[in-house]
Amino acid sequence: QVQLVESGGGLVHSGGSLRLSCAASARTFNYYAMAWFRQAPGQEREFVGAVSWNGATTDYADSVKDRFTISGDSRQKMMYLQMNHLKPEDTALYYCAARRGPRSNLRADYDLWGQGTQVTVSS
């Protein structure tokens, strides 16, 4: 069974930065699109950003565009989310997700999920 493990969450002040990591434990992880979602208490899990299997293309939610950057690809079995200029509204549990196929911003399209890593941004 493929496992995804997130790390790098923590507590930062508004305007600060964090880099999240997602590691896939698998013999091979070719052609998997990877994505980040986040969920705040009482809220729906929402799309943050995604990267194609080869790292060639990315997509971001409007709320994080120009502040967050995804890097990595499935061949490396690693994906990163660099978060800059963090805001209190970015506070959430951040999940790594993957699927063998095209990148997508739809939660239902992903069948592999990590356990989540908490990001808290204070004002």
Side-chain angles (χ1 to χ4, degrees), residues 31-35 37 47 50 97-113:
Y31 308 116
Y32 280 78
M34 302 180 75
F37 289 78
F47 173 75
R99 56 98 67 123
R100 193 172 191 274
R103 64 171 171 80
S104 171
N105 62 358
L106 301 178
R107 182 179 60 191
D109 284 343
Y110 294 89
D111 55 5
L112 298 173
W113 292 87

Side-chain angles (χ1 to χ4, degrees), residues 23-63:
S25 61
R27 301 189 315 278
T28 181
F29 203 61
N30 298 325
Y31 308 116
Y32 280 78
M34 302 180 75
W36 291 97
F37 289 78
R38 66 186 183 186
Q39 186 169 22
Q43 304 296 314
E44 298 288 317
R45 189 171 300 185
E46 65 176 358
F47 173 75
V48 175
V51 61
S52 59
W53 69 272
N54 60 359
T57 62
T58 55
D59 185 34
Y60 301 94
D62 289 341
S63 59

Side-chain angles (χ1 to χ4, degrees), residues 42-110:
Q43 304 296 314
E44 298 288 317
R45 189 171 300 185
E46 65 176 358
F47 173 75
V48 175
V51 61
S52 59
W53 69 272
N54 60 359
T57 62
T58 55
D59 185 34
Y60 301 94
D62 289 341
S63 59
V64 306
K65 192 178 294 291
D66 300 323
R67 297 189 297 120
F68 292 9
T69 302
I70 292 174
S71 61
D73 59 71
S74 67
R75 295 168 297 179
Q76 301 176 70
K77 302 180 183 180
M78 289 289 294
M79 177 180 63
Y80 303 96
L81 180 66
Q82 179 65 47
M83 304 183 293
N84 298 322
H85 308 291
L86 283 161
K87 306 174 181 179
E89 48 263 48
D90 295 319
T91 295
L93 189 64
Y94 282 70
Y95 294 92
C96 175
R99 56 98 67 123
R100 193 172 191 274
R103 64 171 171 80
S104 171
N105 62 358
L106 301 178
R107 182 179 60 191
D109 284 343
Y110 294 89

